[in-house]
Amino acid sequence: MRFMLLQAYGGVELEGCAPMTEWTPEDVKAHIEFQHTLNAALLERGELVDAQGLAGPDQAKVVISDGVGAPRIIDGPYPESKELLAGYRLVDVDSLERALEIAALSSASPGPGGVPIQQQIEVRQVMGAPDPEV
């Protein structure tokens, strides 16, 4: 079963946690090292399919097309940038319970002073393509 673990900008439960852009270089380094260590452990177990951080909302684009005319391309940032995707992990695991365990590990990533930031992680199962014969 594949699950997408989605991290949004914002969605941090730790009260008073500043945005990462305001963290010390040491805190940012510890956070990134935590993510790399978690990814390496998941890869070793054969559970990690992919994991990526995404550029900030100020670099985001939205494309709208009718398939005929030139597409409309809209620049960010957006008023509700806290709802934009910051990164993801795609995991291939035996159960929803395991995907939730991995999400909990990710949620506890360190922030300022090494305190777990309690990041909200949305867990969504990746659905297969519909049967073309149906």
Side-chain angles (χ1 to χ4, degrees):
M1 301 173 72
R2 286 189 172 193
F3 291 89
M4 184 71 78
L5 311 181
L6 305 167
Q7 281 182 266
Y9 286 97
V12 173
E13 292 296 318
L14 183 61
E15 189 171 321
C17 184
M20 187 181 277
T21 55
E22 298 175 17
W23 295 5
T24 66
E26 297 79 18
D27 287 336
V28 171
K29 182 179 179 190
H31 181 82
I32 300 301
E33 286 177 356
F34 174 92
Q35 300 297 337
H36 287 174
T37 300
L38 177 56
N39 289 344
L42 295 173
L43 190 59
E44 187 174 309
R45 291 179 56 118
E47 295 176 322
L48 183 66
V49 176
D50 190 27
Q52 300 292 326
L54 302 174
D58 59 321
Q59 297 178 39
K61 308 278 188 234
V62 172
V63 178
I64 302 168
S65 176
D66 63 6
V68 178
R72 284 192 300 142
I73 301 172
I74 304 166
D75 291 333
Y78 306 100
E80 294 296 323
S81 62
K82 66 184 178 187
E83 297 175 5
L84 293 177
L85 190 62
Y88 67 88
R89 264 189 193 85
L90 179 59
V91 296
D92 191 346
V93 294
D94 292 331
S95 65
L96 170 61
E97 290 73 22
R98 178 61 184 148
L100 296 173
E101 288 173 8
I102 296 168
L105 291 169
S106 180
S107 176
S109 61
V115 176
I117 62 172
Q118 303 175 51
Q119 175 75 48
Q120 292 179 21
I121 309 295
E122 181 180 345
V123 178
R124 297 181 66 183
Q125 185 172 1
V126 176
M127 304 302 292
D131 185 346
E133 299 298 319
V134 175

